[in-house]
Amino acid sequence: RNEPNVPTGAVRAACVRLSRRAAAQPPMHLAVRGCDPGDARHGDIVTGLSWSNAGELLTVSDDHKVRVWSVDGEPVQQLSEVSFYCTGLLWHPSATGRAQGDVFVVGCTDGSFRLISRQGRVEKVEANAHEGAVTCVRWSRDGASLATAGEDGLIKSWSRTGMFRANLAASQGTVHAMCWSPDSDQILFSYERHLIVRPLQPSSKQTQWKAHDAPVLCCDWNPVTGFLASGGEDCKYRLWDAYGRQLYCSAPVEYSISAIAWAPSGQYFAVGSFNLLRLCDKAGWSYSRAQPACGSVFALAWTGDSTQVTAGCGEGNVLFAQLVGREVSCGPWEARQTAADVVTVVSVLDGQREELQFKDAVTELSLSAAHLIVVTATQLCIHATSNFNTPHVVELRGTVSLLLQSGPHFVMVDSVGGLQVLSYTGQLLSQPRFAGMRPSVLSPLSVAYAADLLAVVDSADAKVVRLFEPLTARQLGTLQHHLEVESVALSQLSVATKGGGRRLALIDRNRDLYVTPTEGVQEMVKLHTMVDTVAWNEENGSLAAIADGHFVVWYYPECVFVDRDLLPSTTLRQPTPDVGRSSELLDFRGTRATVRRSDGAVVTYAASPYHAMVERFVGAAAWESALRLCRYVKSHQLWACLAAMAVAGKELHTAEVAYAAIEAAEKLMFMAHVKELPTPEAREAELLLFRRKRAEAVQVLVQGGWIYRAIKMCIRCFAWEAAYDVARAHATHLDTVLYHRQKYLQETGREETLPKLQALVGSIQVDEEAIKQRVAKEKERELARGGAGA
C-alpha cells in the first residue's frame, strides 16, 4: 500500500544489499599464509610467540632458536640460539622491539624463566621459579608485574626485573593456562576441568567452576568486555562472564582446543586446534574456519591493531593470518575491505563503485552518510562520500582502537593520544581527560557520542558516567548510578519539544535499562529489565532494545518524564525467539533496525514511520498537522505519543484531543482544568506537578509571586513540611498551613506528629474568616492578572 511521506530509499537500499550479499564475496575471514620453507622455518614445535608494539614478532621453538619476523611475515634475523627448552615467550607490554631497555620473558621446562633483551642478551635468570616446568608466563596489563605458573600448581608474582614478590594462588596439580584480568587485579587460571578467578586482595574469595568435561588447556580474558574464553580437551571452546556464567559453548571439533587468544580490540578472538585456525566473534559464533596443514596450533598472538594473528604450530611453521573482508554500511553506501590494503566502496542504489588503495594495511573502518574514515597502520584517511578522490590524510603516532562519527566531527581513540575529537579535515579539536582514564579499555559500549555531547564510563569507577563538551573537552558533569554501568548510548536528536536536551540510556550490571536527562537534575528511570543491547534511532528520538526475547521500541521514551502511565501505550514489542542472549543492535535508522543474532546471522525488524512524522510536526510546532495525521492513522499508540508530546510542549488543546482519543477521561478533565487557570505560572506549575516535579512547580509559583498557590499545592500533595517552609520563608500564610493541617487531622482522627507544626500550634491563632478573606484576595489578584486559557 502506498503510504504518505513514508521514505523508501532506506528500504530499497536494504533490499539491494541483501540481494547482493546472496552472491557476494565471503564475509570477514582470516587470509592465512605460512612462512617460506627453508632456513626461515623452525625445525621443531613453535612453543611461544609475541608481537612488540613496533610490529616485530618474536618466536621460539624446541629447535632452541629465537627468531625475529616483520609484520609482513618476512624473516628478519635469528636473534639467538638458546640451550634450554622454552614453554612460552612474551614481550614486555611497553616494548617497542627496538629500544635498548626492551625485554621479553621466556619460561623453561627446567622450572626457570629468563628475561632477555632485544639484542639477545640474558638479563636475568630465575633458576628455581618452580618445581617442574614453567607452563605459563604472563605480564600484567600495565607491565608492573610478571606472573608465572608451573607444574607444581603454584602461581607466583615477580617484579619487572624478576624479583620474587608473592605466591598468588596454589592448586593441587599442573596449571596449564593462566592470564591477567583487564585491571590486573585478578588472575584467571585452569586446574584440570575447572577455571578459577583469584582476586589479588587478600580478603577476597576466589570463584571456581567446572568449565569443561576434560582438562582445560587454554584461556584468555577479554581486555575490553571482561568476558573469558577457554578451550579444552573436550574439543570445545566456551565463553564466560567474570562470575563463571556460561555465555556460549561451541560444537565439538575433531581435536582438542590447544590455543585461544582475544584480539586487543575485544571484538573477536582466535581459536587453534590440530590443522585448524578459527576466527570468532566476541559473542562466540564463528566468522571463518581455516584448515592449514600445520599440525597443532600451540600459541597465538595478535598484533596491537587487531588486524593480524600469528600461530605457532607443531610442525615448526609460523602462520600469519590477515583479517580481511570487513564490511560497514550506512544508507546506500557499503564499504568492504577486499584486500589487506584495499577498500571497495559501492552505492547499492546506482552501482557507483570506488576502489581505494592505501600504502599500509587497513586496521579500522567507519562509515556515515557523509564520510568514510579508513585507518591504516600509519595514517588516518578521511573521505567524503561525495568525492572519494581527495581524502584528508593525518599521520598517526599510535594504534587506533575506536572510531565514532556524529555531526560535524568524530571521536578517535589511539594508544598515544588517547581519547580525541577531530574535525573531518583531520584537525584535532580537543582531548577529553579525567583522572584514572584508560584509553585501552574504551569501546563502543563505554563511549557514547553525539554532536554536542560525549559520555564516557569511568574506568576507575564504573558506576560513574562522565559528560564532556566535545569541542572544548570541558567536563559538563557526571551521572551516578547505583551499579556498574556496562553500556551507554546517547540520543542523536535533542527532545523536539520545549525544554529539550539529550537523553542517556544505560545498561547496568543487572541488565536493567535506564534513561536519564543529561542536563539539569539527574533522574534515572528504569525502562526495562533483562536487556541485551540498546540503540537510539539516528533520525528521530525513538529507542530500541533487545530485551527478554523481544524487539522493543519506545517511540517516545520522553514520556517516562512526562506521563509514565502512557509508556506501555507508546511501546512496540515483537517476539524474537531466535535472537539469543548475546545479540547486538548494529543499526537503528528510520523505520529499520538491524540486529546480529547470537549465531551471527543478521536480521532486520521494522518500526512504524508515523511516530517519527508526528515528532517532526511537533518539532516544527505544527500541532494541527500532527492532529490530522493521528486522525488519518487512527492508532491508539500514535495518539498516546502525541498526548505525551503535547504535555511536554505545553500545548493544552492538543493534549485534550489526544487524551480524549485514548479515552483517558481523568487526564482530559485535568487538562481542561489547567486551561482555566488564570495565570501562565499556575498553568506551568500544574503541568510540572502532572509530570511529578513538585519541587520545580513550587519554585515556578514562588518566583512568580504566587505564594499562596505554592503553599496550597504543597497542601494538596500532603507535603506539610514543604508548605510550612514556603510560608515561613515568606512570612505569610502560616495560619493557613496550620488551619488545613488541623482540619486534616480532625478528619483522619490523628494526632500531630510533625515537630515544626507542633511548635506552631501555640504561637499562632487560627482565624478561619481572616484566612478565607486573604485567600479570596489572592484569587482576585490572580484574576486581575488575566490570561486564563491562553
Side-chain angles (χ1 to χ4, degrees):
R1 187 183 66 172
N2 292 326
E3 297 175 329
N5 298 325
V6 178
T8 59
V11 176
R12 181 184 172 199
C15 295
V16 174
R17 185 176 293 114
L18 289 174
S19 64
R20 285 168 52 83
R21 283 176 179 169
Q25 302 176 28
M28 185 167 70
H29 62 283
L30 292 173
V32 182
R33 69 186 188 280
C35 58
D36 294 330
D39 293 338
R41 186 186 181 116
H42 282 290
D44 210 329
I45 298 173
V46 178
T47 57
L49 70 172
S50 178
W51 287 96
S52 72
N53 291 331
E56 274 193 342
L57 176 70
L58 278 183
T59 61
V60 67
S61 167
D62 278 358
D63 63 2
H64 302 290
K65 295 177 181 178
V66 179
R67 293 184 180 274
V68 183
W69 309 77
S70 71
V71 71
D72 298 323
E74 299 297 328
V76 176
Q77 68 178 110
Q78 179 178 312
L79 183 64
S80 65
E81 187 163 349
V82 296
S83 59
F84 41 83
Y85 288 94
C86 298
T87 57
L89 177 149
L90 201 64
W91 274 111
H92 188 269
S94 64
T96 63
R98 295 169 185 169
Q100 293 292 328
D102 288 348
V103 296
F104 59 91
V105 61
V106 292
C108 307
T109 57
D110 60 2
S112 67
F113 70 84
R114 289 164 169 81
L115 298 178
I116 305 176
S117 71
R118 171 61 180 82
Q119 291 72 34
R121 183 177 61 253
V122 177
E123 302 287 346
K124 169 77 174 181
V125 178
E126 184 60 41
N128 298 310
H130 290 271
E131 295 182 7
V134 174
T135 55
C136 298
V137 288
R138 291 289 185 272
W139 292 105
S140 60
R141 304 284 180 179
D142 56 6
S145 299
L146 172 68
T148 61
E151 290 182 333
D152 56 4
L154 296 178
I155 298 178
K156 299 182 179 182
S157 174
W158 313 80
S159 71
R160 187 185 187 280
T161 57
M163 301 298 294
F164 176 74
R165 285 180 173 171
N167 289 327
L168 300 180
S171 64
Q172 298 177 354
T174 301
V175 176
H176 291 289
M178 176 264 297
C179 61
W180 291 87
S181 69
D183 296 328
S184 299
D185 58 357
Q186 299 180 89
I187 286 284
L188 169 69
F189 64 96
S190 67
Y191 164 63
E192 293 185 350
R193 304 179 181 184
H194 298 81
L195 284 176
I196 303 169
V197 175
R198 173 69 176 177
L200 300 189
Q201 295 80 4
S203 58
S204 300
K205 294 183 178 180
Q206 67 183 25
T207 303
Q208 178 175 333
W209 67 95
K210 180 184 176 182
H212 290 263
D213 297 324
V216 180
L217 301 181
C218 53
C219 64
D220 200 12
W221 205 316
N222 191 310
V224 177
T225 65
F227 292 165
L228 315 177
S230 63
E233 289 187 358
D234 58 358
C235 306
K236 299 177 182 180
Y237 63 88
R238 304 173 191 248
L239 295 184
W240 316 84
D241 65 12
Y243 304 99
R245 293 175 294 203
Q246 182 172 293
L247 305 177
Y248 181 85
C249 177
S250 72
V253 297
E254 190 173 358
Y255 299 98
S256 299
I257 303 296
S258 52
I260 199 164
W262 284 102
S265 66
Q267 296 301 305
Y268 27 79
F269 61 95
V271 176
S273 181
F274 181 78
N275 288 348
L276 173 67
L277 183 60
R278 178 175 285 185
L279 175 67
C280 302
D281 185 77
K282 63 180 181 297
W285 53 271
S286 178
Y287 278 109
S288 68
R289 173 189 175 118
Q291 294 181 298
C294 62
S296 293
V297 174
F298 284 101
L300 292 168
W302 286 89
T303 54
D305 55 17
S306 301
T307 61
Q308 187 172 204
V309 63
T310 51
C313 305
E315 295 184 358
N317 205 346
V318 178
L319 300 182
F320 291 81
Q322 180 72 40
L323 193 65
V324 295
R326 282 181 294 180
E327 186 177 289
V328 291
S329 60
C330 182
W333 295 104
E334 186 177 89
R336 179 183 175 83
Q337 182 189 2
T338 53
D341 57 351
V342 177
V343 173
T344 302
V345 186
V346 179
S347 172
V348 297
L349 294 183
D350 57 16
Q352 178 185 347
R353 184 184 184 90
E354 297 283 346
E355 190 168 283
L356 309 177
Q357 178 86 35
F358 301 93
K359 72 173 188 178
D360 299 304
V362 174
T363 61
E364 288 286 341
L365 291 172
S366 177
L367 179 63
S368 67
H371 293 90
L372 168 66
I373 303 177
V374 180
V375 179
T376 70
T378 59
Q379 291 182 333
L380 174 73
C381 303
I382 306 168
H383 298 262
T385 54
S386 58
N387 183 5
F388 289 99
N389 298 322
T390 56
H392 294 280
V393 179
V394 179
E395 297 296 326
L396 295 174
R397 296 181 297 162
T399 301
V400 175
S401 58
L402 179 65
L403 287 172
L404 295 175
Q405 296 191 58
S406 180
H409 32 74
F410 64 95
V411 163
M412 180 180 76
V413 177
D414 70 24
S415 58
V416 175
L419 182 61
Q420 306 166 67
V421 179
L422 295 92
S423 69
Y424 284 106
T425 60
Q427 179 186 2
L428 178 64
L429 301 177
S430 68
Q431 291 181 281
R433 294 283 187 275
F434 58 87
M437 187 177 77
R438 295 170 52 209
S440 61
V441 301
L442 297 180
S443 72
L445 296 178
S446 59
V447 179
Y449 184 51
D452 57 0
L453 192 63
L454 176 65
V456 183
V457 178
D458 193 333
S459 52
D461 182 4
K463 298 178 182 179
V464 176
V465 180
R466 298 181 180 269
L467 305 177
F468 295 91
E469 205 284 315
L471 294 180
T472 63
R474 180 173 62 92
Q475 184 166 326
L476 302 176
T478 60
L479 298 174
Q480 180 74 43
H481 194 50
H482 63 279
L483 286 175
E484 290 80 3
V485 176
E486 294 192 347
S487 175
V488 290
L490 273 173
S491 60
Q492 295 303 301
L493 296 180
S494 297
V495 178
T497 48
K498 299 176 184 178
R502 299 199 184 273
R503 300 297 184 246
L504 178 77
L506 63 88
I507 301 175
D508 64 19
R509 189 183 65 192
N510 286 347
R511 311 309 298 175
D512 294 332
L513 173 63
Y514 289 81
V515 64
T516 179
T518 57
E519 301 174 3
V521 180
Q522 175 179 327
E523 187 179 356
M524 290 275 186
V525 180
K526 183 189 287 189
L527 280 185
H528 211 284
T529 60
M530 303 297 292
V531 178
D532 298 319
T533 179
V534 66
W536 292 92
N537 197 299
E538 296 288 338
E539 300 174 2
N540 56 66
S542 56
L543 179 68
I546 302 297
D548 197 19
H550 289 79
F551 172 65
V552 185
V553 177
W554 293 271
Y555 286 114
Y556 189 61
E558 184 68 12
C559 73
V560 299
F561 306 111
V562 178
D563 185 357
R564 295 182 192 178
D565 297 336
L566 292 179
L567 188 62
S569 300
T570 61
T571 304
L572 168 71
R573 290 178 62 88
Q574 296 181 20
T576 56
D578 299 327
V579 165
R581 293 175 53 193
S582 303
S583 57
E584 180 182 5
L585 256 169
L586 301 178
D587 187 47
F588 184 31
R589 193 179 304 270
T591 62
R592 177 171 166 266
T594 306
V595 178
R596 189 183 294 279
R597 303 190 319 192
S598 58
D599 61 1
V602 176
V603 296
T604 59
Y605 296 94
S608 170
Y610 296 115
H611 303 82
M613 296 166 66
V614 168
E615 188 174 344
R616 287 197 296 271
F617 286 139
V618 170
W623 296 100
E624 284 301 321
S625 299
L627 284 171
R628 284 198 297 271
L629 178 61
C630 289
R631 291 185 180 117
Y632 169 76
V633 177
K634 298 178 182 178
S635 165
H636 184 279
Q637 198 175 63
L638 195 60
W639 278 115
C641 288
L642 181 60
M645 293 179 188
V647 173
K650 304 174 187 177
E651 181 63 28
L652 298 177
H653 171 69
T654 304
E656 278 187 298
V657 176
Y659 277 122
I662 61 176
E663 300 180 353
E666 70 287 356
K667 295 179 182 179
L668 168 63
M669 295 176 64
F670 181 80
M671 292 300 154
H673 158 71
V674 173
K675 284 180 64 176
E676 298 302 320
L677 293 176
T679 63
E681 292 88 354
R683 292 191 290 274
E684 183 177 355
E686 289 296 325
L687 287 177
L688 285 171
L689 186 63
F690 180 78
R691 298 173 62 174
R692 308 185 187 192
K693 297 182 178 181
R694 177 177 57 81
E696 294 182 28
V698 171
Q699 185 178 5
V700 167
L701 292 171
V702 170
Q703 289 178 349
W706 310 110
I707 307 303
Y708 167 73
R709 186 170 285 277
I711 293 172
K712 190 61 184 293
M713 178 177 285
C714 294
I715 292 173
R716 284 164 48 202
C717 298
F718 300 99
W720 299 104
E721 290 183 312
Y724 171 83
D725 292 338
V726 174
R728 173 65 71 185
H730 296 84
T732 182
H733 286 289
L734 280 169
D735 54 344
T736 304
V737 176
L738 188 58
Y739 167 71
H740 285 285
R741 175 65 175 175
Q742 290 177 344
K743 189 175 179 181
Y744 165 76
L745 293 175
Q746 290 174 1
E747 291 175 353
T748 58
R750 299 180 181 180
E751 297 292 332
E752 183 61 75
T753 57
L754 301 178
K756 292 181 180 179
L757 296 179
Q758 284 177 342
L760 196 63
V761 172
S763 59
I764 290 183
Q765 183 176 0
V766 176
D767 186 343
E768 184 176 350
E769 290 301 323
I771 291 173
K772 290 181 178 179
Q773 291 177 7
R774 265 200 323 277
V775 170
K777 288 182 180 180
E778 288 283 349
K779 293 182 177 180
E780 289 176 3
R781 187 165 71 92
E782 289 183 354
L783 290 173
R785 171 76 177 271

